[in-house]
């Protein structure tokens, strides 16, 4: 069995990222907590002197143009779940370590990815693509990986781990402030110094929790972890950083949900049949739109194209403040699915064209034609989903075109050429009719399909054109 | 120098405009010998818009297209009918050997030109037939121009059927036919060729003078 090796994936800018959602702000920005203290500030703000823990008032006095927003813990949790989803592509064992770290076991999957280096590079690329800069730490124990991630230290063996940990300050242990102060009071500055203290002595002076923590970090004791699993259903909400009614802005926001969606589809091995997007309006109310796919698919680019077409066609009554995206109908993915349209050289592009059309047209406007099982000509046809028609073998004369409903006409101008064909049926469902159909020519020379009806009405009707 | 060989090579080039030498794109046999004989290139031009002006609804305009459309569907190439004014009868289509599985009908009237453009640009359709029903104004003239450009970017045939009595905008790039009941056909305009005043039938090659 491969040696276990845990990766800690730490996102330093998580609180800022969660609030600003990939928008490039023009002014220095920060996030503050409930007691109006700065939690995190971006680089320009830090250069101007904004510090973590500073009062919002002091920060604003330093940088008047600072745009600080309240911390959004739920958005942070969602972002952390996104990180876990991405990590799940590389590992079968993933756990959340809030506030800003995800743990993934890589020992079991390093061979699959051709070694540790490509695996780490792949992870890094994937997070970069999502606009999340992460620090990666490696250690044989999960608790240590979580700790080392903040310092981007990578070690593979327990011996190396012990050595690396010894050099770190005790602050890195992220203990309660009281304990940290106590340690400082004793002159214990590094973890190495702390480890030199007798274990019994440590327990007596700083409580039994510290020893357990140190054991877990050094891999002497297992760390209890809650395994993370990708959710059964994909439903995400995205608050727009700035409410907008421009299709382009909505698409940009939506795009941020498509990457996790695709990852989710991959890790759950499912395919998309439709996507439901709810546009929450700033003035209240919600606009729902559904984007269906002709064939289950996972392709993000194609979905983006369809969403663009949909958004272009939508008439928004006001700015949108949030987006809800739900993968409504997911189905087991069958890449080799065959259908009637597959005979074409472009078997796979056909559904794409139907989808493109469907993004602007109603589904009932894109149809195929099928014969109906009825003798009455007005019921002997029906619209069906494209490509799902039935063959028919009726050899009686029929016109190329049928009028949607027969139109009354006068017998006078008509030359009857062929017929009659008696159609008498419908007595079983109450739509009884008795007609004689003729092929006729009108005074312009057009060939028509006409009938003389005896029941329920009597008279002459045009039912179709041969031309 | 063998001029036949050069001619043959030139004909294979679809991006070459050859003046009065007929359409340079692929040609689709109409299935009507009389019509083939009179059309430049010997059939419906692919990659170009063909306009049909029926004198009455159902004068025979679709009858002219049916054999070629049926053949396309049998070859596995989809045919799209956009905003037809009536319902195509499935039994009649099947009798004419048209494979219903390859027939798509788009029933939206508002989006007809957009849909036609998409179908043509996709390059997947063997033929696209669009019915024009509204009165023509400036906007729809522009839409027709776009359609013409989309047709030129595609290999498939594109047909535009006008409503009886509509006056189509002037154009030089299209093949334009008038259709009267019978059906009787008159070549109003063909690229690289002047219009022909004579009416003819699709079957035999006899020219019929029609008065009135």
């Amino acid at each position: 069995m491969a040696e276990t090796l845990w990766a800690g994936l730490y996102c330093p800018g998580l609180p800022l990222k969660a609030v600003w959602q990939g928008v490039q702000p023009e002014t220095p920005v920060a996030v503050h907590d409930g007691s109006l203290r700065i939690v995190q500030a971006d680089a320009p703000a830090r250069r101007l002197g904004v510090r973590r823990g500073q009062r919002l008032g002091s920060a604003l006095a330093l940088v008047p143009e600072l745009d600080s927003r309240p911390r959004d813990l739920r958005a942070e949790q969602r972002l952390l779940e996104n990180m876990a989803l991405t990590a799940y592509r590389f590992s079968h064992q993933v756990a959340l370590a809030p506030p800003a770290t995800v743990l993934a076991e890589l020992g079991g999957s390093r061979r699959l990815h051709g070694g540790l280096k490509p695996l780490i590079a792949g992870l890094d690329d994937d997070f970069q693509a999502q606009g999340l800069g992460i620090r990666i730490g490696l250690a044989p124990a999960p608790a240590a990986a979580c700790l080392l991630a903040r310092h981007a230290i990578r070690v593979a063996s327990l011996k190396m781990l012990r050595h690396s940990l010894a050099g770190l300050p005790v602050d890195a242990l992220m203990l309660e402030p009281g304990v940290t102060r106590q340690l400082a009071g004793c002159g214990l500055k590094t973890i190495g110094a702390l480890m030199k203290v007798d274990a019994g002595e440590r327990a007596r002076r700083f409580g039994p929790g510290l020893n357990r923590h140190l054991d877990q970090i050094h891999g002497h004791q297992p760390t209890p972890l809650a395994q993370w699993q990708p959710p059964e259903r994909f439903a995400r909400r995205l608050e727009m950083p700035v409410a907008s009614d421009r299709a382009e802005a909505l698409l940009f926001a939506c795009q941020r949900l498509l990457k996790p969606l695709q990852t989710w589809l991959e890790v759950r091995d499912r395919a998309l049949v439709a996507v439901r997007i709810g546009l929450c309006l700033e003035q209240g109310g919600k606009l729902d739109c559904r984007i269906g796919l002709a064939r289950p698919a996972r392709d993000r680019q194609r979905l983006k194209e369809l969403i663009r077409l949909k958004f272009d066609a939508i008439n928004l009554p006001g700015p949108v403040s949030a987006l809800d995206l739900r993968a409504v109908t997911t189905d087991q993915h069958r890449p080799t699915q065959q259908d009637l349209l597959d005979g074409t050289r472009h078997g796979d592009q056909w559904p794409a064209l139907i989808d493109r059309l469907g993004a602007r047209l109603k589904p009932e406007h894109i149809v195929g034609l099928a014969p109906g099982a009825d003798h009455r000509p007005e019921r002997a046809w029906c619209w069906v989903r494209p490509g799902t028609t039935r063959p028919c073998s009726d050899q009686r004369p029929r016109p190329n075109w049928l009028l949607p409903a027969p139109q009354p006409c006068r017998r006078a101008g008509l030359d009857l050429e062929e017929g009659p064909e008696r159609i008498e049926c419908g007595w079983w469902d109450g739509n009884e009719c008795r007609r004689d159909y003729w092929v006729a020519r009108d005074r312009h020379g057009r060939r028509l399909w006409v009938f003389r009806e005896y029941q329920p009405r009597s008279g002459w009707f045009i039912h179709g054109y041969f031309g | 120098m063998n001029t036949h060989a050069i001619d043959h090579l030139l004909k294979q080039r679809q991006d070459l405009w050859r003046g009065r030498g007929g359409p340079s794109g692929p040609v689709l046999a109409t299935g009507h010998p009389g019509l083939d004989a009179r059309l430049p290139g010997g059939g419906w031009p692919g990659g170009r818009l063909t306009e049909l002006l029926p004198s009455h609804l159902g004068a025979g305009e679709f009858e002219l297209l049916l054999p070629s459309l049926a053949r396309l569907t049998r070859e596995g190439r989809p045919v799209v009918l956009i905003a037809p004014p009536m319902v195509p009868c499935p039994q009649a289509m099947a009798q004419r050997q048209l494979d219903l599985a390859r027939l798509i009908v788009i029933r939206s009237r508002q989006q007809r030109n957009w849909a036609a453009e998409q179908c043509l640009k996709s390059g997947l359709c063997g033929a696209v037939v669009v019915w024009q029903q509204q009165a023509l104004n400036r906007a729809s003239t522009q839409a027709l121009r776009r359609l013409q450009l989309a047709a030129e970017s595609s290999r498939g045939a594109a047909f535009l059927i006008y409503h009886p009595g509509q006056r189509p905008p002037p154009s030089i790039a299209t093949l334009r036919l008038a259709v009267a009941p019978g059906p009787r056909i008159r070549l109003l305009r063909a690229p690289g060729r002047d219009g022909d005043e004579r009416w003819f039938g699709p079957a035999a090659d006899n020219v019929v003078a029609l008065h009135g």
Side-chain angles (χ1 to χ4, degrees), chain A residues 142-258:
Chain A
C146 182
L147 192 152
L148 292 182
R150 291 176 172 262
H151 303 273
I153 297 171
R154 300 171 191 181
V155 293
S157 69
L158 286 172
K159 200 177 146 208
M160 288 289 294
L161 173 64
R162 191 181 169 80
H163 183 75
S164 304
L165 284 173
L168 288 176
V170 286
D171 292 356
L173 288 171
M174 307 281 291
L175 300 167
E176 283 159 35
V179 181
T180 311
R181 265 199 306 277
Q182 225 179 331
L183 290 173
C186 296
L188 297 167
K189 295 220 169 66
T190 62
I191 297 177
L194 181 59
M195 288 307 287
K196 286 203 181 102
V197 178
D198 178 60
E201 185 77 0
R202 275 200 307 254
R204 200 171 55 75
R205 288 167 87 177
F206 310 112
L210 177 65
N211 267 347
R212 195 169 57 238
H213 190 49
L214 285 173
D215 278 350
Q216 285 173 356
I217 285 176
H218 285 87
H220 302 321
Q221 201 178 325
T223 316
L225 283 178
Q227 285 273 339
W228 182 84
Q229 290 283 333
E232 285 281 332
R233 296 170 158 278
F234 188 91
R236 291 289 166 92
R237 185 184 174 83
L238 188 78
E239 305 284 342
M240 297 281 289
V242 183
S244 172
D245 56 356
R246 287 190 314 123
E248 205 53 37
L250 293 179
L251 188 70
F252 179 77
C254 216
Q255 217 177 323
R256 298 176 46 77
L257 294 175
L258 296 186

Side-chain angles (χ1 to χ4, degrees), chain A residues 309 340-346 349-350 353-354 356-357 360-361 364-372 380-381 383 386-387 389-390 392 394-404 441 444-447 465-467, chain B residues 56-63 66 76-81 84-96 99-108 110-111 114-116 118-119 122-125 131 181-182:
Chain A
L309 285 169
L340 285 162
L341 292 169
D342 250 359
T344 53
R345 278 174 298 144
H346 318 278
Q349 292 169 23
W350 234 137
L353 174 65
I354 302 280
R356 281 179 69 80
L357 294 172
R360 200 179 276 194
L361 307 175
E364 66 266 27
H365 281 165
I366 309 167
V367 287
L369 186 65
W381 62 273
W383 298 125
T389 185
R390 298 174 288 273
C392 73
D394 196 330
Q395 287 305 323
R396 292 171 296 179
R398 287 289 176 271
N400 291 339
W401 296 105
L402 291 173
L403 289 171
R441 211 174 266 279
H444 302 297
R446 287 186 296 184
R447 287 178 78 212
Y465 294 92
F466 283 84
Chain B
H56 302 85
L57 200 63
E61 62 280 12
F62 196 62
E63 188 65 35
L66 249 178
R77 304 196 60 191
V79 166
V80 185
L81 308 182
M86 294 176 276
V87 179
C89 175
Q91 287 81 7
M93 300 293 124
Q95 282 168 22
R96 306 296 297 272
D99 181 359
L100 289 175
R102 303 259 188 269
L103 185 76
I104 304 282
V105 182
I106 291 175
R107 294 166 60 212
S108 166
Q110 281 79 34
Q111 303 284 352
W114 176 81
Q118 296 299 324
C119 292
S122 75
L124 302 175
C125 306
W131 276 264

Side-chain angles (χ1 to χ4, degrees), chain A residues 374-388:
Chain A
D374 201 305
H375 288 290
R376 284 159 288 185
E378 64 266 39
R379 288 169 188 238
W381 62 273
C382 56
W383 298 125
V384 293
R385 228 158 47 79
T388 59

Side-chain angles (χ1 to χ4, degrees), chain A residues 72-334:
Chain A
D72 188 346
L73 285 170
R74 276 172 57 200
E76 281 178 39
Q77 176 68 21
R78 283 198 294 265
L79 212 50
L80 206 60
E81 298 248 344
N82 270 359
M83 286 172 62
L85 195 55
T86 309
Y88 200 79
R89 290 184 56 207
F90 295 89
S91 161
H92 66 296
Q93 247 181 308
V94 171
L96 303 184
T101 310
V102 168
L103 294 169
E105 205 283 314
L106 301 184
S109 47
R110 62 200 283 182
R111 267 187 63 196
L112 179 70
H113 293 266
L116 199 57
K117 250 190 186 157
L119 178 52
I120 299 275
L123 256 173
D124 210 27
D125 283 352
D126 251 33
F127 278 102
Q128 289 288 350
Q130 290 181 55
L132 291 171
I134 54 160
R135 290 188 203 153
I136 302 177
L138 288 179
C146 182
L147 192 152
L148 292 182
R150 291 176 172 262
H151 303 273
I153 297 171
R154 300 171 191 181
V155 293
S157 69
L158 286 172
K159 200 177 146 208
M160 288 289 294
L161 173 64
R162 191 181 169 80
H163 183 75
S164 304
L165 284 173
L168 288 176
V170 286
D171 292 356
L173 288 171
M174 307 281 291
L175 300 167
E176 283 159 35
V179 181
T180 311
R181 265 199 306 277
Q182 225 179 331
L183 290 173
C186 296
L188 297 167
K189 295 220 169 66
T190 62
I191 297 177
L194 181 59
M195 288 307 287
K196 286 203 181 102
V197 178
D198 178 60
E201 185 77 0
R202 275 200 307 254
R204 200 171 55 75
R205 288 167 87 177
F206 310 112
L210 177 65
N211 267 347
R212 195 169 57 238
H213 190 49
L214 285 173
D215 278 350
Q216 285 173 356
I217 285 176
H218 285 87
H220 302 321
Q221 201 178 325
T223 316
L225 283 178
Q227 285 273 339
W228 182 84
Q229 290 283 333
E232 285 281 332
R233 296 170 158 278
F234 188 91
R236 291 289 166 92
R237 185 184 174 83
L238 188 78
E239 305 284 342
M240 297 281 289
V242 183
S244 172
D245 56 356
R246 287 190 314 123
E248 205 53 37
L250 293 179
L251 188 70
F252 179 77
C254 216
Q255 217 177 323
R256 298 176 46 77
L257 294 175
L258 296 186
K259 174 74 185 165
L261 173 60
Q262 193 182 11
T263 313
W264 179 81
L265 291 169
E266 277 165 14
V267 300
R268 292 225 63 118
D269 193 25
R270 292 171 85 87
L272 214 56
V273 174
V275 167
R276 219 176 252 286
I277 298 178
L279 303 169
C280 306
L281 299 170
E282 201 178 29
Q283 70 210 37
K286 194 169 164 187
L287 217 65
D288 270 313
C289 49
R290 184 182 185 280
I291 294 143
L293 285 97
R295 176 188 295 186
R298 280 180 190 165
D299 185 11
R300 176 156 53 107
Q301 289 309 324
R302 196 169 130 200
L303 190 63
K304 185 186 150 195
E305 193 55 41
L306 295 177
I307 293 175
R308 180 198 297 277
L309 285 169
K310 195 81 181 178
F311 281 176
D312 280 346
I314 273 182
N315 217 345
L316 283 170
V320 173
S321 57
L323 284 166
D324 273 328
L325 186 140
R326 271 182 299 156
V328 193
T329 350
T330 48
D331 203 354
Q332 294 302 317
H333 192 35
R334 284 183 296 274

